[in-house]
Amino acid sequence: MNQESFLKAKLISDNLFFTRYFFKFQYQRKFVIGDHHRLIAEKLNQVLRGEITRLIINMPPRYGKTEQCVKSFIAQGLAINPSAKFIHASYSDSLALDNSEVIKELVESEEYSRLFHRELKRDAKSKKKWYTEQKGGVYATHLSS
């Protein structure tokens, strides 16, 4: 197994590694890890392996939940299966659209493309709904009361 194959295997099998790797790539700084990030990664890895089919994570704002559970998880899921479809629902439409845009930019990035060879459909201009060439993608919206 060459170095790139090892890196790809690690990225698609370990949510925390994926989060740290692409956080550093996107923001040019380290993702600071707490014990809660390790626990979240363990549960998200189980979701990606199909061992958990329902998961709710409740924690206060500013603890990295969106970075790890939304942005990285969706991008990692599309790396594993480019035909997977994700819904990102938030209390705020602008927050959902901002997160969708960050995920989309990551999936379109040179590094992600180099590793996973994923392409978005040419007409994937919207932040609200966009698709990969394999018909996977993201729908971002807010929850109305």
Side-chain angles (χ1 to χ4, degrees):
M1 179 181 277
N2 66 26
Q3 191 172 8
E4 185 170 309
S5 295
F6 178 78
L7 176 60
K8 284 170 60 172
K10 184 77 170 154
L11 286 166
I12 63 173
S13 67
D14 185 345
N15 173 266
L16 191 55
F17 185 80
F18 187 98
T19 301
R20 293 177 71 198
Y21 184 88
F22 281 106
F23 186 88
K24 177 116 185 194
F25 173 78
Q26 286 180 292
Y27 304 110
Q28 285 76 50
R29 65 180 199 264
K30 290 182 178 181
F31 184 78
V32 179
I33 297 172
D35 290 339
H36 64 288
H37 295 114
R38 288 182 181 83
L39 180 60
I40 289 169
E42 179 183 317
K43 297 304 176 189
L44 293 176
N45 291 337
Q46 290 176 301
V47 169
L48 291 171
R49 289 191 305 265
E51 298 166 5
I52 293 177
T53 57
R54 296 170 195 254
L55 177 67
I56 295 174
I57 299 172
N58 289 315
M59 57 191 293
R62 311 301 302 165
Y63 278 79
K65 181 176 65 206
T66 299
E67 193 66 44
Q68 189 173 5
C69 301
V70 176
K71 298 173 189 175
S72 290
F73 181 77
I74 292 173
Q76 184 183 21
L78 290 171
I80 294 167
N81 180 3
S83 63
K85 293 184 171 100
F86 294 88
I87 297 173
H88 173 40
S90 175
Y91 73 92
S92 160
D93 201 44
S94 62
L95 179 61
L97 296 177
D98 287 349
N99 290 336
S100 174
E101 182 176 34
V102 171
I103 300 162
K104 187 172 173 252
E105 287 172 357
L106 174 56
V107 172
E108 291 179 308
S109 73
E110 284 183 37
E111 184 66 4
Y112 189 96
S113 296
R114 179 183 74 79
L115 291 165
F116 303 114
H117 311 289
R118 305 291 184 249
E119 290 188 29
L120 299 185
K121 292 185 77 159
R122 285 189 197 95
D123 62 351
K125 307 280 188 240
S126 171
K127 294 186 249 180
K128 189 162 200 68
K129 184 170 34 174
W130 52 270
Y131 296 102
T132 65
E133 285 291 339
Q134 295 80 11
K135 297 186 169 82
V138 173
Y139 177 69
T141 190
H142 70 285
L143 300 172
S144 55
S145 52

